[in-house]
Amino acid sequence: MAVYTKLEPQEISNFLQQYNIYNFKDYKGITEGVENTNYFIRTSEQDYILTIYEKRVAENDLPFFIKLLSILSEKRFPCPKPIANKNNEKINKIKNKNAALVTFLSGKSKNKITSEDCFQIGKIAAQLHELTKQLKLSRKNNLSIENWKSIFEKTIKEKIDLDETTIKKTKDYLSFLENNWPKNLPQGIIHADLFPDNIFFTTNKVSGIIDFYFACNDFFAYEIAICFNSICFDNNSTFNMTKAKNLIDGYSSIRILSNDEKKYLPILCMGAAMRFFLTRLYDFYNTDTETIVYTDGSCLGNPGKGGWAAVIIKNNQEEIIFGSEKNSTNNRMELTAAINALLKTKESEKIKIYTDSKYLKDGIEKWINNWKNNNWKNANKKDVKNKDLWTKLDSLINKKQISWEWVKAHSINEYNNKVDILARKAASAND
């Protein structure tokens, strides 16, 4: 859930007023994930998540997702609850994009799922199925077995560097699955994407499920197959039988699997693995690679002779840029390096910038919104230092998809050391 659409505090406040929410206090972009833009919003009474729909979520699917979340939350299933605005609309617009405001779900996802966790995950999956089997909502699974061949054919048609052995094996597996896929198993609405990052825990207890944007009608047992693939393998790619057994036991404590569901579970597991392989393969060939940028600034004397440098890495190609000023400061050179690097990139690119400057990173992520709200004044009501550069940088980042990473200076990072040397050379060469 990277932050693709940048919002200012006033834009957030204006949006919340459409919901009769006037006690806005703070907000923060959520950088995890890749599909949509998400903001954590804090008010004096309650916390919310604002989701802006960027990609993959089709506009005509949104009513289904929002309706499903609304019904589940009404039935006290632990998931985000969509909030209606003054016009009783739960799908809204911000910056001409579809958006929804939902309640904040307490808890955090786990990087490592334990065997004990699997029992709880199986249990909550069954609770979901017991609720959804009664619903009249319906959405076709667009990533089902009916679509896998076309996804693969499209991938290999566009890209010819996939080896023939992989192509043949994949086609054989697809034919096998097509010939052995079950026709009539218990079904209803499933989550269809129960990966660890979508399962929240509080004190080692499952506290809720998020990200229902793959939810669809399919076999309930297919949900279990997805979970086997997503949470029951150890780090060495070994299938953990204890995790799988606990998952089934937890599920069966709420809903008993039929004999046919048990019989077809191996085929469904193979199908889930095929889905993940094909969608990741497609994304690998069709998703733009991220542009990596390393920047640094240097100043001899501070203030004194200044130099800046950046290395821009895209598609395994490096571009080096650098420059100097006769009279500058280290902070101004850090800002100048970032500005010049961004001027070399396009608006459509995803960019990750590495810097050893806390001034630069904290300025962008912590301070700049307050500065703009205060007309570029600091807490002492004085003009922000380097305002000319901060305003220029602000105008650039608002048009691009950027994430920022801090690296330790003069350490083991090859590219950080490289731009450090280049920046100091640029400063030294300044006549």
Side-chain angles (χ1 to χ4, degrees), residues 163-220:
D163 66 271
E164 290 299 323
T165 301
T166 301
I167 292 174
K168 184 180 184 306
K169 282 186 176 181
T170 303
K171 287 182 176 180
D172 289 344
Y173 280 128
L174 285 169
S175 295
F176 176 82
L177 287 167
E178 193 173 65
N179 293 331
N180 292 276
W181 198 252
K183 306 296 182 184
N184 188 24
L185 294 178
Q187 61 181 289
I189 298 172
I190 66 172
H191 182 279
D193 199 38
L194 280 178
F195 276 71
D197 54 349
N198 292 329
I199 306 165
F200 278 13
F201 291 83
T202 302
T203 61
N204 289 320
K205 299 291 183 183
V206 173
S207 59
I209 305 294
I210 65 168
D211 201 355
F212 279 73
Y213 300 112
F214 286 92
C216 58
N217 290 74
D218 212 318
F219 301 139
F220 290 137

Side-chain angles (χ1 to χ4, degrees), residues 324-341:
S324 63
E325 292 183 7
K326 290 185 177 181
N327 185 29
S328 191
T329 66
N330 190 76
N331 284 340
R332 286 188 67 84
M333 292 294 92
E334 295 282 2
L335 289 166
T336 301
I339 289 168
N340 280 283

Side-chain angles (χ1 to χ4, degrees), residues 85-259:
N85 62 17
K86 296 176 183 178
N87 298 323
N88 201 32
E89 298 165 333
K90 295 180 180 178
I91 302 172
N92 209 334
K93 291 277 189 180
I94 190 166
K95 285 197 169 180
N96 295 317
K97 296 181 180 180
N98 288 312
L101 187 70
V102 301
T103 55
F104 174 75
L105 193 65
S106 297
K108 291 184 177 180
S109 60
K110 283 187 172 184
N111 291 326
K112 185 177 181 181
I113 300 294
T114 67
S115 298
E116 292 74 19
D117 296 333
C118 288
F119 183 92
Q120 297 181 59
I121 294 169
K123 186 175 180 179
I124 200 169
Q127 291 170 340
L128 173 66
H129 297 168
E130 285 294 290
L131 290 173
T132 63
K133 72 180 183 182
Q134 307 167 18
L135 302 182
K136 296 180 180 179
L137 288 176
S138 179
R139 176 181 177 268
K140 184 179 179 180
N141 185 355
N142 294 326
L143 295 175
S144 70
I145 189 170
E146 299 172 2
N147 305 93
W148 295 340
K149 274 192 174 180
S150 63
I151 294 172
F152 187 58
E153 292 296 336
K154 185 176 181 179
T155 303
I156 61 176
K157 182 179 179 181
E158 295 176 350
K159 301 292 175 181
I160 59 174
D161 62 339
L162 206 60
D163 66 271
E164 290 299 323
T165 301
T166 301
I167 292 174
K168 184 180 184 306
K169 282 186 176 181
T170 303
K171 287 182 176 180
D172 289 344
Y173 280 128
L174 285 169
S175 295
F176 176 82
L177 287 167
E178 193 173 65
N179 293 331
N180 292 276
W181 198 252
K183 306 296 182 184
N184 188 24
L185 294 178
Q187 61 181 289
I189 298 172
I190 66 172
H191 182 279
D193 199 38
L194 280 178
F195 276 71
D197 54 349
N198 292 329
I199 306 165
F200 278 13
F201 291 83
T202 302
T203 61
N204 289 320
K205 299 291 183 183
V206 173
S207 59
I209 305 294
I210 65 168
D211 201 355
F212 279 73
Y213 300 112
F214 286 92
C216 58
N217 290 74
D218 212 318
F219 301 139
F220 290 137
Y222 185 53
E223 187 98 273
I224 297 174
I226 290 171
C227 290
F228 275 8
N229 278 272
S230 65
I231 65 176
C232 292
F233 281 85
D234 293 331
N235 290 336
N236 60 358
S237 299
T238 301
F239 186 68
N240 189 315
M241 291 296 294
T242 303
K243 287 183 176 181
K245 182 181 183 302
N246 284 358
L247 184 80
I248 292 292
D249 288 347
Y251 189 92
S252 300
S253 70
I254 301 297
R255 178 183 173 271
I256 302 298
L257 290 169
S258 69
N259 289 333

Side-chain angles (χ1 to χ4, degrees), residues 16 26-27 31 37 53 78 94 106 119 147 163 179 203 218 225 251 258 265 272 344 348 410 412:
L16 293 177
D26 194 12
Y27 77 113
T31 57
T37 292
Y53 300 101
I94 190 166
S106 297
F119 183 92
N147 305 93
D163 66 271
N179 293 331
T203 61
D218 212 318
Y251 189 92
S258 69
L265 194 52
K344 288 282 187 176
S348 59
H410 313 298
I412 60 173

